Amino acid sequence: MSKIKVAITQHACSESYAENLESGLNGIKEAARQGADLVLLPELSMGLYFCIKEDPDYFDMAETVPGPSTKALQLAAKENNIIVVATLFEKRAKGLYHNTAIVLDKDGTLAGTYQKMHIPDDPGFYEKYYFTPGDMGFKPIDTSIGKLGVLICWDQWYPEGARIMALSGAELLLFPSAIGWEPEETNEENNRQRNAWVTIQRSHAVANNLPVLSSNRVGLEEDKVNKMKTKFWGSSFITGQQGEILAEASIDNEEVIVAELNLNHTEQVRRVWPYLRDRRIDAYEGILKRHIDK
Amino acid sequence: MSKIKVAITQHACSESYAENLESGLNGIKEAARQGADLVLLPELSMGLYFCIKEDPDYFDMAETVPGPSTKALQLAAKENNIIVVATLFEKRAKGLYHNTAIVLDKDGTLAGTYQKMHIPDDPGFYEKYYFTPGDMGFKPIDTSIGKLGVLICWDQWYPEGARIMALSGAELLLFPSAIGWEPEETNEENNRQRNAWVTIQRSHAVANNLPVLSSNRVGLEEDKVNKMKTKFWGSSFITGQQGEILAEASIDNEEVIVAELNLNHTEQVRRVWPYLRDRRIDAYEGILKRHIDK
């Protein structure tokens, strides 16, 4: 398949697993109704963003893959004949957890998983406490519409991940996200942050001549004990192979956005802008260093 | 020095070396008059963009470094007490040529050079005919205001170069460019291309938390024999450490643009957005491959 329709659901999350699952299922249904072949849900959309706080009890929310959420979403994929890309808190073994994306093909089969490789940690985003960094590397997942380069949130700031996905044959880059503002920050700083987030992800489309889908949640979430607050900034978007915005959502509404893509267009754009031809692989060893000290 | 003022000259070029040198010198003077510590000239601004055609006679324009252009610009740097970053067609040895950036410090000394690493080649931009790809790697150049990560035009599409410059201690990224449209292209396609060019360079600021300066020429240039035409799109710009645009030039006027930068701000932004902390250097080997085949 070369011409496809892709969708993103942008929604808020609550304390209720059932409610969040329903929001996801409604988004999947709406995306299918609009003729989408694929729908991307926001990061960890089955609950509040629990990494706002370090709490040992929260590990109880982790589940195996496949497990209850995978099964519910597999059913939805099959019923709606649509590829579903979602993320969840994966329990891989006793005391070993990942932030994991699952890709469910149109027939409901689990096409593959991706474990978040870059794990953030800063006040209100305590992910290093919960998630072991992935050890599967950057591998596209084969589906009935093409190879999906799924990356997760913090991964989006790293051109390396997107590049390796592209070199491995990814035809589409997908970024489920949960990113927001500290409500006390100035508007000016908020705009700089949101624009940087859009820019870096559009740049992965530009550098690799691949469409990019980025899904984010909306809404204010607050931890009553540590008083941390995050206002998730929405702004989910879909770009074409030159980073051009094809569809974008608002900063605060629940929405399903849809765009048509032609995956064959990558070949045409790469002929005009042949970046892959000219990479200096003989001079990139520095990339494998933490810092290049004198 | 942490607070600096930087400038870009955007100008058109003609067949006359003397005229082009004068445009450069006027830009340098104007930048200094506005209090700039550094000024960046467009790529190969001493002549028409000769790579519009493959012509063996054009190799006669190449000059050694140092040579006449270096000396003229060294004098201008010293007289105006300003760092000058320019590029020229370097003759390194008999039959061996580079597209080379020279960095002249405020006292006129040649602080260092950078040879363009990624060499493009497409109709009207026949650079592979003229320039051997650089073999010096991506090394920042030490100056009295800080370490400059100078890259040249086609390099701007490669996150790898910017990243290695950043890991090597660059405090500022600079991109002298000569990029334009085929005049027959649609406005829609022209906008996509120009936006992609701005986006990818802003993304190097975002990914590395470094200011970016990008200088481009303006004007229509045409080769009478092969009928190739390029309308250089100007749009020179300066960003801060989050990719925010601080100054930008028009698509068709000759201009000098100026912005203030605080190089110490990189440390602050990197504490809030600690990308360098979390790079997966254990999982980036794929970057060193041409393509990752199964």
Side-chain angles (χ1 to χ4, degrees):
Chain A
M1 279 181 79
S2 58
K3 289 197 180 176
I4 58 170
K5 202 181 246 192
V6 295
I8 285 175
T9 68
Q10 169 172 297
H11 62 80
C13 301
S14 76
E15 278 178 292
S16 158
Y17 176 89
E19 258 179 45
N20 297 323
L21 180 59
E22 203 190 336
S23 293
L25 297 179
N26 287 341
I28 293 167
K29 246 180 250 165
E30 176 57 20
R33 197 191 62 75
Q34 293 192 44
D37 298 286
L38 174 149
V39 58
L40 173 66
L41 277 57
E43 185 184 15
L44 299 170
S45 60
M46 296 304 180
L48 290 173
Y49 181 72
F50 57 89
C51 314
I52 199 167
K53 177 184 173 183
E54 297 194 358
D55 185 335
D57 289 344
Y58 288 175
F59 288 100
D60 291 338
M61 294 188 298
E63 52 175 304
T64 55
V65 175
S69 298
T70 308
K71 282 175 191 160
L73 293 170
Q74 282 183 292
L75 197 63
K78 188 176 179 184
E79 278 181 3
N80 294 282
N81 192 36
I82 191 170
I83 293 174
V84 175
V85 180
T87 56
L88 46 79
F89 186 13
E90 180 189 5
K91 183 184 173 98
R92 184 174 176 187
K94 287 187 173 68
L96 184 60
Y97 308 86
H98 292 288
N99 185 332
T100 300
I102 56 173
V103 175
L104 314 169
D105 215 327
K106 290 183 176 184
D107 61 0
T109 55
L110 177 60
T113 64
Y114 166 80
Q115 300 160 345
K116 190 172 182 171
M117 289 287 283
H118 301 94
I119 307 295
D121 197 283
D122 55 274
F125 294 83
Y126 301 105
E127 294 201 19
K128 287 192 194 295
Y129 176 68
Y130 294 104
F131 309 128
T132 291
D135 59 352
M136 293 169 59
F138 303 98
K139 295 207 177 70
I141 296 169
D142 232 335
T143 71
S144 56
I145 61 161
K147 286 184 204 303
L148 309 186
V150 183
L151 295 153
I152 304 176
C153 205
W154 194 235
D155 291 326
Q156 66 214 170
W157 302 98
Y158 296 84
E160 292 92 342
R163 179 69 96 200
I164 296 173
M165 284 293 190
L167 294 177
S168 302
E171 296 177 86
L172 202 62
L173 298 173
L174 300 97
F175 295 94
S177 303
I179 190 163
W181 295 301
E182 289 175 47
E184 282 75 28
E185 205 42 273
T186 62
N187 274 341
E188 204 188 341
E189 176 57 22
N190 284 349
N191 281 334
R192 265 197 298 271
Q193 295 185 359
R194 197 184 69 92
N195 285 336
W197 178 80
V198 172
T199 300
I200 192 76
Q201 292 179 94
R202 288 179 65 194
S203 84
H204 305 322
V206 174
N208 300 292
N209 299 134
L210 293 177
V212 163
L213 277 68
S214 177
S215 172
N216 190 25
R217 65 173 70 194
V218 289
L220 181 71
E221 298 185 22
E222 180 176 5
D223 182 74
K224 271 137 202 147
V225 179
N226 73 4
K227 306 285 178 204
M228 283 285 173
K229 283 183 204 168
T230 303
K231 168 121 179 43
F232 292 94
W233 69 47
S235 312
S236 303
F237 65 91
I238 301 170
T239 82
Q241 280 93 338
Q242 290 163 282
E244 72 279 21
I245 303 272
L246 301 176
E248 61 187 322
S250 67
I251 61 168
D252 43 18
N253 293 321
E254 301 199 314
E255 290 178 56
V256 173
I257 59 170
V258 175
E260 287 186 38
L261 299 173
N262 181 349
L263 299 183
N264 282 347
H265 188 53
T266 292
E267 174 73 28
Q268 302 312 312
V269 179
R270 284 186 181 165
R271 288 181 192 185
V272 180
W273 299 94
Y275 312 134
L276 296 190
R277 181 191 64 190
D278 296 331
R279 293 180 67 245
R280 291 296 305 270
I281 56 173
D282 60 314
Y284 293 161
E285 323 86 66
I287 294 281
L288 305 185
K289 302 213 164 134
R290 183 66 65 211
H291 193 257
I292 301 168
D293 305 305
K294 275 251 167 97
Chain B
M1 279 182 81
S2 58
K3 289 197 180 175
I4 58 170
K5 201 180 246 191
V6 295
I8 285 175
T9 68
Q10 169 172 298
H11 62 82
C13 300
S14 76
E15 277 178 291
S16 157
Y17 176 88
E19 257 179 44
N20 297 322
L21 180 59
E22 202 190 338
S23 294
L25 296 178
N26 288 341
I28 293 167
K29 247 181 249 167
E30 174 57 21
R33 198 191 60 76
Q34 294 192 43
D37 298 287
L38 175 149
V39 58
L40 173 66
L41 276 57
E43 185 185 14
L44 298 171
S45 60
M46 296 304 179
L48 291 173
Y49 181 71
F50 57 88
C51 315
I52 199 166
K53 175 182 174 186
E54 297 193 358
D55 184 336
D57 289 342
Y58 288 175
F59 287 101
D60 290 336
M61 295 188 298
E63 51 175 305
T64 54
V65 174
S69 299
T70 307
K71 282 175 190 160
L73 293 170
Q74 282 182 293
L75 196 64
K78 188 173 178 185
E79 278 181 1
N80 294 282
N81 193 35
I82 191 169
I83 293 174
V84 174
V85 181
T87 56
L88 46 80
F89 186 15
E90 180 189 4
K91 182 182 173 97
R92 185 175 175 187
K94 288 189 171 65
L96 185 61
Y97 307 87
H98 292 289
N99 185 332
T100 300
I102 56 174
V103 175
L104 314 169
D105 215 328
K106 289 182 178 186
D107 62 359
T109 56
L110 177 60
T113 63
Y114 166 80
Q115 300 160 344
K116 189 171 185 174
M117 289 287 283
H118 301 94
I119 307 295
D121 197 282
D122 54 275
F125 294 83
Y126 302 104
E127 295 201 18
K128 287 193 194 294
Y129 176 67
Y130 294 104
F131 309 128
T132 292
D135 59 352
M136 294 168 57
F138 304 98
K139 296 208 177 67
I141 296 169
D142 232 337
T143 72
S144 55
I145 62 161
K147 285 183 205 303
L148 309 186
V150 183
L151 296 153
I152 303 175
C153 203
W154 194 236
D155 291 326
Q156 67 213 169
W157 302 97
Y158 296 84
E160 292 91 342
R163 178 69 99 201
I164 295 173
M165 284 291 190
L167 294 177
S168 302
E171 297 177 86
L172 202 63
L173 298 172
L174 300 97
F175 294 94
S177 302
I179 190 165
W181 296 301
E182 288 175 48
E184 282 74 30
E185 203 43 273
T186 63
N187 274 342
E188 204 187 343
E189 176 57 21
N190 284 349
N191 281 334
R192 265 197 300 271
Q193 294 185 358
R194 198 185 68 94
N195 286 335
W197 179 79
V198 172
T199 299
I200 192 75
Q201 293 179 93
R202 288 179 64 193
S203 84
H204 304 322
V206 173
N208 300 293
N209 299 135
L210 293 177
V212 163
L213 276 69
S214 178
S215 172
N216 190 25
R217 66 172 72 193
V218 289
L220 180 72
E221 298 185 22
E222 180 175 4
D223 182 75
K224 271 140 202 144
V225 179
N226 73 3
K227 306 285 178 204
M228 283 285 173
K229 284 184 205 168
T230 304
K231 167 120 180 44
F232 292 94
W233 68 48
S235 311
S236 303
F237 64 92
I238 302 170
T239 82
Q241 280 93 339
Q242 291 163 282
E244 73 278 19
I245 303 273
L246 301 177
E248 60 187 323
S250 67
I251 61 168
D252 43 18
N253 292 322
E254 301 200 313
E255 288 179 58
V256 173
I257 59 170
V258 174
E260 286 186 40
L261 300 174
N262 181 348
L263 299 183
N264 282 345
H265 188 53
T266 292
E267 175 73 28
Q268 304 310 312
V269 178
R270 283 186 181 166
R271 288 181 191 184
V272 180
W273 300 93
Y275 312 134
L276 295 190
R277 182 190 65 191
D278 296 331
R279 293 179 67 245
R280 291 297 305 273
I281 55 173
D282 61 312
Y284 292 162
E285 322 87 67
I287 295 282
L288 304 187
K289 302 211 164 135
R290 184 66 64 211
H291 192 257
I292 301 167
D293 304 305
K294 274 251 169 99

